Structure formats: C-alpha cells, structure tokens
Amino acid sequence: MAEIIWTEEAERWLKDIHDYIAQDNPAAADKVISGIYQRAQILLAFPEVGYKYRSEPEGDISILLYGHYRIAYLIKGSDRVDIIGVFHGALDRDQYLP
C-alpha cells in the first residue's frame, strides 16, 4: 500500500480552488475539496489507476480525474505517491505541468 504525500504547491492549489468556489458557496467549496481528498485515497491501493501523462527521471506523472478537476501525481516507486497539483480540467494542463 502506498503513502500519499501532498506537496505544498498542491495544498496551495486546493486552497485557491476552495477560496474561488467559497466566494459564491462556502458549503460547495468544502464539498469539492473533501471530494478531491477522498478521490485521491484510491491511490493508496491503486497508484497506477490514473492515466500516465509523461515519464520524468523522478517517476511517472499521472492524472486522476475527479469531476472537472485533475489531480496530478508522481508515482515514486511502489510505496509513495506525491500529489503535485490539482487544477480545473478547462485549464491548459501544460501551463501547470510544463
């Protein structure tokens, strides 16, 4: 079973998502962020469930879908997954994953 590490950047992106949604609906913002965290839990047992975006020297970058959001993560061996970012699917992922 893998360990999930949320990077500071991923946490910052989540805060930005929450703050944006909360301007109109704080309860919905809480629900979205909770859903993203819950969706990422599947990576504990199945770290390769997302689709492979590209390979890097540090490991494979993959993307897990949650509604309109993309959870980008780096598989670091069989026992660790680093969440490197969360962004809305309408945004250009190359801007976030150069």
Side-chain angles (χ1 to χ4, degrees):
M1 183 176 286
E3 174 186 16
I4 297 175
I5 305 294
W6 289 81
T7 64
E8 287 183 30
E9 185 168 7
E11 292 283 353
R12 187 170 45 254
W13 291 3
L14 283 176
K15 182 182 180 320
D16 291 346
I17 290 167
H18 181 275
D19 292 350
Y20 180 78
I21 297 169
Q23 292 176 27
D24 293 325
N25 190 335
D30 292 343
K31 185 176 178 182
V32 167
I33 299 306
S34 176
I36 290 170
Y37 275 115
Q38 288 178 2
R39 178 67 173 146
Q41 296 306 302
I42 194 170
L43 299 173
L44 290 169
F46 304 104
E48 297 191 16
V49 70
Y51 68 88
K52 185 175 168 184
Y53 177 64
R54 73 172 182 247
S55 292
E56 293 292 330
E58 301 85 12
D60 292 336
I61 295 177
S62 296
I63 296 180
L64 180 64
L65 305 177
Y66 173 73
H68 296 290
Y69 294 93
R70 308 300 179 249
I71 304 167
Y73 63 98
L74 183 66
I75 300 173
K76 299 197 107 175
S78 62
D79 61 344
R80 182 172 164 183
V81 172
D82 288 0
I83 307 292
I84 58 175
V86 179
F87 56 94
H88 194 278
L91 300 175
D92 179 12
R93 72 175 161 213
D94 292 333
Q95 176 184 346
Y96 293 94
L97 301 170

